[in-house]
Amino acid sequence: MRPDQITLRMVRARLARPFENRWQRFETWTKVVVQVDAGGHSGLGECTAMETPFYNYETVDTAWHLLETYLVPLVLVSDDPSPQAAAEGWRHIDGHEEAKGALECALWDLRARASGQPLCVELGGVPRRVPVGATVGIEASIDELVAAVERAGAAGYGRVRVKIRPGWDTAPLRAVRAALPDVRLIADANAAYGAEHLDLLAGLDDLGLLAIEQPFARSEVELAAALQTRIEAAVCLDESIKSLADVRRAHRVGACRMVNIKVGRVGGLAEAVRIHDFCREQGIPSFVGGKYEFGLGRWTNLALATLPNMTLPSDVGPSSRYYVEDGASPTLALSAPGWVEPLAAAGLGAQLTDGVEVVRELTLTANQLAVH
Ligand code: MG
């Protein structure tokens, strides 16, 4: 069953409040959404690439280019629209995991909708409620940070991830811990530190952190292992993990006591499930990380978060926390304080709405294409 057509949309949403990470401050967020139409069903996949190449090299524009020129044509001419066949078909294309992940997610959703199964079941999970974590960015002041973490804790979020960077680490974290002794905290550095900061990071260990996430650059897993030998808190890897092979390597050197699994970063749901399975075998706790997903991306993450080794709160909170309108119907909301549940409907169970601005749209069919 060949897909009838594949549509790419670049969509933009307004944040409920500005967000700042170590690179920049955002008031709007832009995503690419892929829709695959086949056999009367439509599968949807949201690309996790951002507008800027700071978290990794991909952007919404590079993802669009890869999808339009290379990935979508491969799928349009294939007789097998399964996500596995697609991944096999683009194996010769290096990198660009987020672009691949978007189309791969749409194919998973298509398959689940066609089979009448919720996506979580299709992935090997069970329809169960999932604990939710929140993320707080770099705030204008320590008082505002403490207030934001307090709000998240009071709303029932099972852990709060606080963004840190050199100059915004020890004092803000100590203030949060002093005000909120019981909140489970992850300090997420987004690779901002180097070997010269080992003592500083080890010095955070008396704060009872659940984890220090991605302290060092992506390739510096030995440095992460060196930090792990000095702290009780887990070193959690995020940017370092783009494949199962990366997790195996990090685990081998002792750098990987917790894994943040991001669908886009690892090239799609199939690799995310493989990483999950390895973590489960090795006793490494994991959770689903987010990149400020719109609604469709949140429903995708939630399906993955129902797998059994996702034992820590995942980044699958309600989008109303982050967006004025998230472009999906239904919108993901808490089912109880700190918890969310997948929909019983087939696939993601959600549709794209016109609540987000479509800034670019392109529909491709097989007879338009040259395959590279
Ligand atoms: Mg992170």
Side-chain angles (χ1 to χ4, degrees), residues 28 96 105 159 179 357 368:
T28 62
H96 297 280
C105 283
R159 64 99 178 111
E357 179 194 0
Q368 295 171 312

Side-chain angles (χ1 to χ4, degrees), residues 194-324:
E196 69 276 23
H197 298 109
L198 269 169
D199 288 344
L200 181 150
L201 294 169
L204 300 174
D205 207 34
D206 65 329
L207 294 173
L209 302 174
L210 187 60
I212 298 177
E213 183 171 319
Q214 196 66 43
F216 308 113
R218 192 165 66 78
S219 59
E220 299 276 17
V221 288
E222 290 80 7
L223 210 45
L227 177 63
Q228 186 65 82
T229 63
R230 296 181 56 181
I231 62 175
E232 290 292 319
V235 172
C236 176
L237 294 183
D238 176 355
E239 284 91 332
S240 292
I241 306 300
K242 299 182 87 172
S243 66
L244 174 59
D246 288 338
V247 184
R248 287 183 185 279
R249 194 173 306 122
H251 178 60
R252 211 160 40 232
V253 301
C256 191
R257 265 193 16 212
M258 187 182 295
V259 179
N260 171 339
I261 301 179
K262 283 184 176 155
V263 174
R265 197 193 59 225
V266 303
L269 286 162
E271 188 74 353
V273 171
R274 284 191 283 270
I275 291 170
H276 162 277
D277 293 349
F278 176 80
C279 288
R280 189 182 192 194
E281 286 163 22
Q282 300 298 330
I284 302 168
S286 56
F287 64 91
V288 179
K291 281 182 75 180
Y292 262 62
E293 277 78 3
F294 293 175
L296 297 171
R298 279 169 198 276
W299 287 116
T300 306
N301 287 347
L302 174 51
L304 183 66
T306 67
L307 268 62
N309 195 62
M310 301 298 186
T311 50
L312 296 164
S314 289
D315 292 334
V316 289
S319 42
S320 59
R321 181 178 157 77
Y322 305 99
Y323 292 103
V324 176

Side-chain angles (χ1 to χ4, degrees), residues 166-178:
W168 180 265
D169 40 43
T170 307
L173 286 171
R174 289 204 177 281
V176 168
R177 182 49 88 212

